Amino acid sequence: DNVDYMATERLDGEVVCCFALQTMRDMDKELDHRNPNTHGLQATDEFIKLAEVEVIENQLRVVMKQYKNASKKKAPFSAWRAVLAHLEAMTLFIRHAGRDAWATPAYESPEAARRAKDLYVAVGAAWVSTADRLVAMASLSEAFMPSMRTAIMMALAMGTSLGERFPTKISRWPEKLESLWTGVPLIGETSKDDKKKDDDETKPKKASKKKKDGDDDDEVADGKKKKGHPVRAHQKVLAKPGAPSSMDMWDFEMALEMLKAGRKHIGGTAFDIEIWPAEERERIAAAAVAAAAAAPAVA
């Protein structure tokens, strides 16, 4: 990777990463590919919101790839700069470019509304998981990444304002990120030492007998243990009395699993109009006309 993630420029008076700014512009181009107006089409508001979701999800996939690379034992310390730069790009796209129409519970489809909420949580989990790792390495600072302060302040403002659009609080990630940045403990959160102690005390003892076939849905016929589904296993933990309510909010990989929710992967090109065949464009245009006709007349 020959990218200079330390190179910066000014944007509205703030220091930003040059790579992040260019990546934000690339994301905007991707959104243009999904803009009905650019292609002479009409589309529903829901289509436009989900087009933004798709672009952001694609960027989250890139962030996760960089996150996994940086987490490898032999990865250079500087690999975390790539993670931060891609996070900053995503934040610039949502906050500075104003691509935030998606952040609302107002969807016709319950599935789309769930996806928007899960995306909000996943964006925060990406930031919190990365910041937590950098705190452990004493590197959550501008010395490590010159645009760090700008990026985190922007992420905090974005997280707070978007979170207020939902009728109920779905994540405390802005408060957690601020806690990591300032070093002030998050009120109501169990410390890592206390959590480890609680986990050790509540950890079930090993069974003396082998389970019979069918006793556990994670067992297979030949007696070998297959890998449990991470979301299902996580929900089992949360269902236990006294389980910390915040544990599902800070895990980046878990948040992406929740966002995926049965799909092969997040993101994709389903809303990329440029690659659609003519009949698909006609279908979307007809749906938009029908939706407009069904809408109540404005007095």
Side-chain angles (χ1 to χ4, degrees):
D1 190 349
N2 296 319
V3 177
D4 182 7
Y5 296 109
M6 300 286 279
T8 61
E9 59 182 281
R10 292 277 177 175
L11 179 67
D12 295 340
E14 300 292 341
V15 176
V16 297
C17 169
C18 293
F19 175 86
L21 189 57
Q22 182 56 52
T23 302
M24 178 207 74
R25 290 168 180 155
D26 292 341
M27 292 176 70
D28 241 359
K29 290 178 183 177
E30 284 298 312
L31 188 60
D32 273 344
H33 293 173
R34 295 159 173 80
N35 186 340
N37 294 329
T38 303
H39 298 83
L41 294 174
Q42 284 184 306
T44 62
D45 288 342
E46 188 147 322
F47 179 96
I48 295 169
K49 295 172 193 172
L50 289 174
E52 288 183 352
V53 168
E54 186 171 84
V55 173
I56 297 167
E57 285 185 350
N58 283 336
Q59 181 64 9
L60 273 175
R61 290 173 66 182
V62 177
V63 174
M64 174 51 78
K65 180 181 178 181
Q66 296 295 339
Y67 184 89
K68 287 183 175 179
N69 286 340
S71 299
K72 292 177 181 177
K73 289 184 178 180
K74 295 184 179 180
F77 183 55
S78 59
W80 287 100
R81 292 194 179 104
V83 183
L84 285 165
H86 283 287
L87 275 174
E88 184 178 340
M90 179 177 65
T91 307
L92 282 166
F93 178 76
I94 299 171
R95 180 69 177 176
H96 179 77
R99 309 308 185 188
D100 59 3
W102 60 271
T104 172
Y107 287 86
E108 292 180 13
S109 162
E111 175 60 24
R114 179 209 58 78
R115 188 174 172 186
K117 288 199 296 185
D118 286 349
L119 178 61
Y120 174 77
V121 172
V123 167
W127 262 112
V128 170
S129 293
T130 301
D132 193 42
R133 296 292 292 271
L134 290 172
V135 165
M137 296 183 284
S139 297
L140 192 67
S141 68
E142 291 169 290
F144 182 69
M145 190 80 169
S147 60
M148 182 84 77
R149 177 179 293 277
T150 300
I152 287 184
M153 292 300 104
M154 191 162 38
L156 290 174
M158 172 191 72
T160 301
S161 63
L162 297 191
E164 290 172 350
R165 297 183 183 182
F166 297 94
T168 57
K169 197 173 189 67
I170 55 178
S171 174
R172 295 181 68 198
W173 73 255
E175 294 100 311
K176 177 61 176 177
L177 181 58
E178 184 175 25
S179 169
L180 291 167
W181 175 246
T182 61
V184 179
L186 180 62
I187 296 175
E189 183 178 47
T190 306
S191 70
K192 289 185 177 180
D193 290 339
D194 289 341
K195 182 179 181 301
K196 185 177 184 304
K197 182 179 178 182
D198 291 341
D199 288 345
D200 289 341
E201 290 177 353
T202 58
K203 190 180 296 181
K205 296 180 180 179
K206 291 183 179 180
S208 57
K209 295 180 181 180
K210 290 185 177 180
K211 291 182 178 180
K212 296 179 181 179
D213 290 341
D215 282 353
D216 191 314
D217 60 1
D218 282 339
E219 294 289 337
V220 290
D222 60 4
K224 293 182 180 179
K225 186 87 170 178
K226 70 178 180 181
K227 187 176 181 180
H229 191 284
V231 174
R232 187 170 67 246
H234 179 60
Q235 289 171 337
K236 289 179 180 177
V237 173
L238 286 180
K240 293 180 180 179
S245 60
S246 63
M247 68 179 293
D248 60 328
M249 298 300 182
W250 319 142
D251 190 315
F252 185 18
E253 292 191 57
M254 185 64 63
L256 289 195
E257 284 294 331
M258 298 292 281
L259 177 58
K260 187 166 66 173
R263 292 180 287 162
K264 187 176 181 180
H265 56 70
I266 63 172
T269 57
F271 292 85
D272 190 340
I273 300 172
E274 287 204 350
I275 64 174
W276 283 2
E279 56 268 23
E280 183 66 12
R281 298 187 185 201
E282 292 170 3
R283 184 186 69 79
I284 288 295
V289 170
V298 179

